[in-house]
Amino acid sequence: HTPDNLKQVELHAFDNCPILKRIYGDHASSDEKALLLGDGTMVAYAFGALEERLVIPEGVTAICDYLFHYRNGFREVVLPEGFLRLGNYCFARAGNLETVYFPESFNDIGDGVFVGCPSLRELKGTNKMIPDGHAIIDKNDFMVAFAGADVTDYEIPEGVIAFYTCFSGSAPAL
């Protein structure tokens, strides 16, 4: 149970709580699996409740840095409409992650979000940052993420001027 006046939660606060199944109080998500700050940033998760399909609850606008790094209990992530930002390395080394569903509202991505995700195959949704289901292109025209498990040949989208920590596993022929 979280106190009403909670303002901050440090990185990795619940990393060593693998049996935590429920978070409740004013800062809990509606499904009682996530701890949220006032701005809608998810800062902790009840990892004991993690399923193969990780559905981020409505009202979450961002996932903090490193939250799901090194977690292998899920294959899909579904981000809700109104979601804006993935924090630095938030899914890095999530070895079983295959598919991420993005809402149109998504508009910001941190560094190395999908680094070390060798199973990542597809980025789904109608978001303008995802032109082809494989790449995420940021506002600077940098290709910052790539979902290409099993892709052996890939054409970089027109307009990309640089790559930045984008390949999740082994890189295809470009």
Side-chain angles (χ1 to χ4, degrees), residues 12-136:
H12 314 294
F14 295 99
D15 273 4
N16 293 318
C17 302
I19 61 171
L20 179 65
K21 292 188 178 184
R22 182 173 171 225
I23 298 170
Y24 59 100
D26 288 344
H27 297 281
S29 61
S30 59
D31 65 359
E32 296 184 333
K33 293 180 182 179
L35 179 62
L36 310 177
L37 295 181
D39 66 355
T41 299
M42 182 189 293
V43 293
Y45 193 80
F47 291 114
L50 193 58
E51 299 173 2
E52 280 199 9
R53 189 166 208 241
L54 173 60
V55 178
I56 303 301
E58 295 293 326
V60 174
T61 59
I63 296 176
C64 75
D65 298 350
Y66 298 96
L67 186 58
F68 292 96
H69 80 293
Y70 282 104
R71 297 290 171 180
N72 292 315
F74 56 95
R75 294 186 183 286
E76 293 182 343
V77 174
V78 179
L79 303 171
E81 190 53 53
F83 186 87
L84 303 171
R85 182 174 202 283
L86 290 172
N88 297 328
Y89 302 95
C90 66
F91 291 111
R93 310 253 182 261
N96 294 331
L97 179 59
E98 295 176 359
T99 306
V100 182
Y101 296 84
F102 288 88
E104 284 187 47
S105 56
F106 173 71
N107 64 14
D108 191 19
I109 186 168
D111 295 339
V113 170
F114 299 114
V115 167
C117 295
S119 299
L120 189 60
R121 287 177 170 67
E122 239 179 327
L123 306 172
K124 293 189 171 190
T126 57
N127 188 281
K128 64 184 178 197
M129 292 176 66
I130 306 164
D132 61 6
H134 292 290
I136 297 180

